[in-house]
């Protein structure tokens, strides 16, 4: 309103075009085996810090020193460590070839598109890009998920687009 410009959320097509930045791989920087440590904030080995033994007297906000498989249940790619535990400041990681930061990971991004991605036929608003809590397979340029408007979503943000002048 202050700039007298019509800002909108991108459509899914616009979001994916910007994310890919002219590439044809799952990520602008490569495939699922590419070390994303300096490139994106995805579900990595640091998610072990959320593992806790609920049956111990020390069960608190402190992570377990040697969590068992039932305590360390968050899905992650434990080959890499990107240095972020939850969402981090924008631009901590390298931009894609078009200068856009955090298109993969950090926080998933709302689009202006409705879809039934993973909702079993019920329409919701689609988010793209994945977050700090998502393993790489859920952060690719093509992965999509939809949330109903009433879902309390903790790992999603937005990116706006402005019309060309």
């Amino acid at each position: 309103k202050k700039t007298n410009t019509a800002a909108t959320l991108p459509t899914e097509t616009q979001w994916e075009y910007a994310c890919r930045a002219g590439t044809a791989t799952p990520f602008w920087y490569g495939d699922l085996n590419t070390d994303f440590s300096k490139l994106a904030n995805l579900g990595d080995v640091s998610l072990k810090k959320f593992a806790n033994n609920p049956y111990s007297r020390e069960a608190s906000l402190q992570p377990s020193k040697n969590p068992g498989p039932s305590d360390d249940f968050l899905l992650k790619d434990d080959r890499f460590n990107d240095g972020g535990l939850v969402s981090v400041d924008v631009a901590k990681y390298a931009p894609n070839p078009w200068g856009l930061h955090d298109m993969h990971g950090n926080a998933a991004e709302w689009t202006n598109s409705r879809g039934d991605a993973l909702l079993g036929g019920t329409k919701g608003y689609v988010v793209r890009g994945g977050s700090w809590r998502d393993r790489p397979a859920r952060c690719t340029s093509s992965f999509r998920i939809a949330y109903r408007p009433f879902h309390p979503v903790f790992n999603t943000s937005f990116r706006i687009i402005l019309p060309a002048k």
Side-chain angles (χ1 to χ4, degrees):
K1 188 173 179 179
K2 287 182 179 181
T3 63
N4 201 25
T5 306
T8 63
L9 292 173
T11 65
E12 279 193 87
T13 304
Q14 290 168 325
W15 186 93
E16 187 168 335
Y17 179 76
C19 180
R20 289 187 180 277
T23 65
T25 53
F27 301 95
W28 65 261
Y29 53 80
D31 63 20
L32 289 170
N33 291 313
T34 302
D35 182 352
F36 56 82
S37 299
K38 303 230 182 297
L39 305 166
N41 183 13
L42 311 180
D44 64 352
V45 71
S46 66
L47 290 181
K48 283 187 178 290
K49 292 179 180 176
F50 287 114
N52 192 310
N53 180 351
Y55 304 107
S56 138
R57 283 185 185 221
E58 289 77 37
S60 65
L61 297 177
Q62 298 301 316
S64 294
K65 294 201 184 339
N66 294 309
S70 59
D71 302 320
D72 184 18
F73 57 86
L74 293 177
L75 298 173
K76 63 187 131 323
D77 187 332
D78 57 9
R79 298 175 297 169
F80 309 118
N81 185 348
D82 56 41
L85 180 57
V86 293
S87 58
V88 298
D89 291 341
V90 172
K92 178 179 179 190
Y93 304 96
N96 74 9
W98 292 353
L100 300 172
H101 290 271
D102 303 316
M103 294 301 291
H104 301 288
N106 209 24
E109 298 177 5
W110 291 107
T111 68
N112 198 16
S113 300
R114 289 180 61 87
D116 60 359
L118 303 180
L119 282 179
T122 304
K123 298 285 185 199
Y125 285 96
V126 177
V127 300
R128 303 291 296 268
S131 76
W132 58 268
R133 190 181 189 277
D134 295 310
R135 61 195 182 278
R138 293 174 61 103
C139 298
T140 63
S141 301
S142 61
F143 186 81
R144 61 195 298 265
I145 189 167
Y147 293 110
R148 293 181 184 106
F150 59 83
H151 277 152
V153 184
F154 64 91
N155 61 346
T156 303
S157 188
F158 63 93
R159 180 183 307 258
I160 60 169
I161 58 174
L162 302 171
K165 289 191 176 199

